[in-house]
């Protein structure tokens, strides 16, 4: 009974937050790699650098997107 209690405490106190942090890191890494692949594919297909920038900006949150320099007010 005591080992069950210890196992439950260790799982809920230490391992669950650790697993949540690993899931967050994994999601960030997947997003980064998808951005890299999209950028490489766009460059390889010969897209204009501004188009590549717009394609990659979609992956970022609106607050982290670069300010548009083309004058369209977005």
């Amino acid at each position: 009974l005591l080992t069950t209690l210890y196992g439950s405490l260790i799982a809920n106190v230490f391992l669950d937050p650790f697993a949540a942090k690993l899931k967050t890191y994994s999601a960030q890494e997947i997003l980064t790699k998808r951005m890299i692949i999209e950028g490489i594919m766009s460059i390889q297909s010969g897209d204009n650098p501004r188009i590549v920038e717009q394609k990659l900006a979609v992956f970022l949150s609106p607050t982290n997107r670069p300010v548009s320099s083309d004058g369209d007010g977005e």
Side-chain angles (χ1 to χ4, degrees):
L1 208 59
L2 190 59
T3 57
T4 303
L5 176 66
Y6 286 154
S8 177
L9 286 175
I10 289 172
N12 289 321
V13 173
F14 296 110
L15 299 180
D16 281 345
F18 185 66
K21 188 178 286 190
L22 286 177
K23 285 180 185 178
T24 302
Y25 289 154
S26 177
Q28 289 174 348
E29 185 176 0
I30 289 170
L31 177 65
T32 302
K33 290 185 183 217
R34 286 185 63 198
M35 283 180 68
I36 291 169
I37 289 171
E38 183 70 29
I40 290 171
M41 299 279 287
S42 293
I43 291 169
Q44 184 179 7
S45 69
D47 288 346
N48 186 316
R50 291 181 194 230
I51 301 298
V52 174
E53 180 185 11
Q54 290 174 355
K55 282 183 180 180
L56 296 179
V58 172
F59 287 98
L60 301 175
S61 66
T63 57
N64 292 333
R65 290 184 186 160
V67 177
S68 179
S69 61
D70 57 2
D72 63 0
E74 290 184 20

